[in-house]
Amino acid sequence: MKQNIRKGIYPWIWKWHFIGGIISAPIVILLAFTGIIYLFKDTYEAPHEHSLKHLSQRTENKMSFQEQWELAKKEWSKVPTAVVLPESEHQNTEFISGRFSHKSSLYLDPYAKQVKGSINVKDTDMYKVRKLHGEILLGKYGTKIIELVASWMVVLIITGLYLFWPRKRGLKGFFTIRTKQSKRILYRDIHALSGFWFSLLLLLVLAGGLPWTDGFGSSFKWVQQKTNTGYPVTWNSRTLKSEPTGNALTLDAIIVKAKELNLNVEVIIDLPKTPTGVYSVYNETNDLGSMQMIHLDQYSGKVIKSHTWNDIGILMKARIWVMAFHQGKFGLWNWYLMLFVATGLLVLSISAMVSYFYRKQPGSLGIPEAPDNLSPGAAIMAIIVILGIVLPLFGVSLIFVFLISKWRHKQNISLPN
């Protein structure tokens, strides 16, 4: 009896792995291709950024940072919300407005006392690549499609591991591609072997993207809030206030204090927006353990609150880490690994499509046959339910598939194999 169930389950899993894979493959190919392009973002944008940051010449008459701030407010259509601490005397000063996709940078020459230029993230080529990668240029609808495909990718990896396991070929099935049989078998083996060896890395890469989606991301944030495993409340300055006593310190005085903190890599100072606002000094670094956030009173310059990496909750730490890993931010080894994984995903997906077209007969969809009346065991149902809860859009798609299946049986309609 158990043997019959196994024989029924295998074609059933194979059928839905096949359907999910063929539907998802074009989007997955797009994600892999745009992901490869986006890995070159820093290299591609570096020359333009360098030209704006590089100081043409130095004179004796240098503007103070306070004067530069006033000039930025006067000459810029946007409101400066932060300033980047210059790493040397040979750099123009960068003021920032907004964050993430709304971020813009204005570069001021403190000696020439004029604007050198600006960069708006939304106007860059790599922003378009990122939007294609994250929402296929369809806005909120596109993000839902990407999340649905990413959710199905998790399921495809799990089911693919089950289907791939070489029951007849033994140990050599993990390492060899059958090149002397049909082309369908050749591309099937390329797909299966690449899927097996890349599976864990692909799951890790998916973990770097899913927390930023609407469905899974919202649930992830909810769990963070309920378990108090996100950022501490005072990591953000909105709950903190300066004590207005006398005149506020100049930006120059705050920058002196920021330098004394000896933060590594790029240091950014968030500017106060109100008379009771605070200066927030932090560093953007890929050495996550050295992350710091320090809030200073704008009148006294005293530290109101200070946070380090150790103050961040475990779920937020995991989210930050997998996202940095996803983007190849941990040095060259991580960058090359992500390039290797994205290329592997491209090979995996294209080989699946090629194998499908070799399998498909004219006038048919080539869908594997499976018993429609099979009742999966309790363990498989439990896994399906858990995946449907953890990955909400996958769960919704399963309900949709179930309703379509019921309607098809009621109408006595069958899919062409």
Side-chain angles (χ1 to χ4, degrees), residues 10 28 43 69 76 96 110 191 197 222 231 244 268 296 337 368 386:
Y10 186 93
V28 175
T43 303
W69 186 7
W76 206 9
I96 297 172
H191 169 74
W197 289 109
W222 181 83
Y231 281 119
I268 299 174
L296 304 177
L337 182 60
I386 291 171

Side-chain angles (χ1 to χ4, degrees), residues 81-83 237 268-273 278-282 293:
T81 58
V83 61
S237 65
I268 299 174
I269 304 173
D270 281 350
L271 305 168
K273 301 177 181 64
V278 303
Y279 285 98
S280 299
V281 184
Y282 58 97
M293 173 68 77

Side-chain angles (χ1 to χ4, degrees), residues 79-287:
V79 177
T81 58
V83 61
V84 179
L85 195 64
E87 295 179 4
S88 74
E89 292 294 324
H90 301 280
Q91 281 189 349
N92 293 315
T93 305
E94 179 185 356
F95 285 90
I96 297 172
S97 179
R99 300 182 66 193
F100 306 120
S101 61
H102 299 286
K103 179 181 175 182
S104 298
S105 293
L106 182 78
Y107 296 89
L108 288 178
D109 185 329
Y111 295 97
K113 302 179 182 179
Q114 64 183 14
V115 174
K116 184 72 177 287
S118 63
I119 295 176
N120 296 320
V121 169
K122 285 190 174 181
D123 296 332
T124 63
D125 294 332
M126 283 299 175
Y127 175 77
K128 297 178 179 66
V129 173
R130 183 172 182 174
K131 298 296 279 186
L132 187 60
H133 185 76
E135 58 185 49
I136 53 177
L137 303 182
L138 293 178
K140 293 182 178 180
Y141 297 104
T143 60
K144 299 293 192 301
I145 294 172
I146 295 298
E147 181 179 357
L148 179 60
V149 170
S151 300
W152 267 95
M153 282 179 68
V154 174
V155 177
L156 290 171
I157 291 169
I158 295 171
T159 55
L161 289 173
Y162 172 82
L163 294 170
F164 163 75
W165 204 262
R167 296 164 178 80
K168 297 180 180 179
R169 299 178 62 205
L171 188 60
K172 68 177 183 180
F174 290 102
F175 304 97
T176 58
I177 294 174
R178 289 168 287 185
T179 59
K180 296 181 180 180
Q181 297 189 29
S182 66
K183 289 185 178 180
R184 183 179 71 83
I185 294 295
L186 168 65
Y187 287 104
R188 178 264 178 199
D189 281 1
I190 292 174
H191 169 74
L193 275 173
S194 57
F196 174 77
W197 289 109
F198 280 101
S199 58
L200 291 180
L201 282 171
L202 287 174
L203 287 173
L204 195 57
V205 170
L206 288 169
L210 281 169
W212 300 92
T213 58
D214 295 335
F216 179 89
S218 298
S219 301
F220 190 87
K221 290 177 184 177
W222 181 83
V223 174
Q224 271 186 183
Q225 292 172 354
K226 294 301 180 181
T227 57
N228 195 29
T229 51
Y231 281 119
V233 175
T234 49
W235 186 275
N236 189 299
S237 65
R238 282 178 292 188
T239 59
L240 303 174
K241 291 184 178 180
S242 294
E243 293 290 338
T245 53
N247 295 322
L249 295 175
T250 64
L251 179 56
D252 298 75
I254 294 296
I255 284 179
V256 169
K257 292 183 178 295
K259 289 180 178 179
E260 292 173 350
L261 296 172
N262 293 319
L263 303 183
N264 65 345
V265 196
E266 186 174 70
V267 179
I268 299 174
I269 304 173
D270 281 350
L271 305 168
K273 301 177 181 64
T274 65
T276 58
V278 303
Y279 285 98
S280 299
V281 184
Y282 58 97
N283 55 340
E284 290 195 344
T285 172
N286 297 322
D287 179 12

Side-chain angles (χ1 to χ4, degrees), residues 365-396:
L365 296 177
I367 298 174
E369 294 183 1
D372 291 329
N373 59 349
L374 176 73
S375 297
I380 291 180
M381 286 303 299
I383 292 171
I384 292 173
V385 170
I386 291 171
L387 286 172
I389 294 173
V390 173
L391 305 168
L393 289 192
F394 169 70
V396 170

